Amino acid sequence: MRAAVVVFPGSNCDRDLAVAFKAAGADVEMVWHKDSDLPQGIDIVGIPGGFSYGDYLRCGAIAAQSPIVKSVKAHAERGGYVMGICNGFQVLTETGLLPGALLRNAGLKYICKTVGLKVETSASDYTAGYNAGDVIDIPIAHHDGNYFADDETLKRLQGEDRVAFTYTDNPNGAQADIAGILSENRRVLGMMPHPERAADAGHGGTDGAALFRALSGALQTA
């Protein structure tokens, strides 16, 4: 598996994401936001958490217009894999690669804690390492994680089995308790919780490691 991790001014989880990819056996390249092209032969692009461009305007809105994101969109449109975590999820909704939007938390406060996530589907290369219905513990750290979409979009996501994760105890007001969703071809994942922060026992938990292992296994056999 060859992974690229995009780095924006304000990214703060880029190294964590790269370490999680490497632990799953990936070769990883860090890609600066002003680059116009992804490296050749990349299988998956990771868009990390943080505060790209200081979260000015809307979270992820400026990052979505950066030069490298044009290449990320082209990669996704060719059937390539893209994973956006926290701020990365916000970037993916701003680009239109995933539907909906991430609004201010219902409590109007930044939340940083470990939460329970229910795995809603195992039918994706990201979630194949879990069983549907599993509950895993994954950290969150966000101020704008309240997932919103219109009723038609929500019904489509649920009807097409594209809700990847839901919160067991909704911390931010997200509609339908949604914590992560998949694209129509199931190769783009956006999620607010941080699996890369739960991929090393020395950091308190390993429930996120299965996501990276499953993805690596799927790409190695593709």
Side-chain angles (χ1 to χ4, degrees):
M1 178 170 68
R2 294 197 64 212
V5 175
V6 177
V7 182
F8 298 102
S11 294
N12 65 8
C13 298
D14 44 321
R15 182 181 179 277
D16 295 339
L17 184 53
V19 169
F21 276 133
K22 289 177 182 177
D27 293 325
V28 182
E29 294 192 47
M30 310 302 282
V31 180
W32 186 233
H33 69 113
K34 286 189 176 181
D35 292 346
S36 57
D37 297 303
L38 292 169
Q40 291 293 317
I42 290 297
D43 298 305
I44 179 165
V45 179
I47 304 180
F51 306 91
S52 60
Y53 295 90
D55 279 350
Y56 288 109
L57 299 181
R58 296 181 308 275
C59 298
I62 300 176
Q65 304 303 316
S66 65
I68 195 60
V69 170
K70 294 179 181 178
S71 292
V72 174
K73 290 180 68 175
H75 172 78
E77 289 163 359
R78 292 193 298 268
Y81 289 75
V82 181
M83 176 168 59
I85 299 170
C86 199
N87 186 228
F89 188 9
Q90 295 162 346
V91 173
L92 292 179
T93 60
E94 289 289 340
T95 63
L97 287 175
L98 289 175
L102 282 308
L103 308 181
R104 188 68 47 87
N105 294 342
L108 303 181
K109 293 183 178 180
Y110 180 84
I111 306 170
C112 184
K113 63 180 181 178
T114 297
V115 299
L117 291 187
K118 181 182 177 184
V119 180
E120 292 292 338
T121 181
S122 60
S124 80
D125 290 336
Y126 297 98
T127 57
Y130 307 104
N131 294 313
D134 284 353
V135 175
I136 59 177
D137 293 325
I138 304 290
I140 59 171
H142 59 249
H143 196 271
D144 296 71
N146 180 353
Y147 182 77
F148 174 84
D150 59 43
D151 289 343
E152 181 179 345
T153 298
L154 289 173
K155 289 178 183 177
R156 186 167 69 250
L157 289 171
Q158 293 166 332
E160 295 175 357
D161 192 34
R162 289 169 52 195
V163 177
F165 302 101
T166 56
Y167 299 107
T168 59
D169 185 10
N170 192 331
N172 54 31
Q175 285 188 300
D177 301 324
I178 287 174
I181 61 173
L182 296 157
S183 61
E184 289 184 14
N185 69 358
R186 312 184 81 75
R187 292 192 172 192
V188 179
L189 169 70
M191 59 186 298
M192 287 308 298
H194 288 268
E196 80 284 7
R197 296 187 183 180
D200 186 326
H203 293 163
T206 59
D207 282 1
L211 184 152
F212 295 96
R213 288 196 302 267
L215 182 61
S216 179
L219 289 173
Q220 288 173 10
T221 58

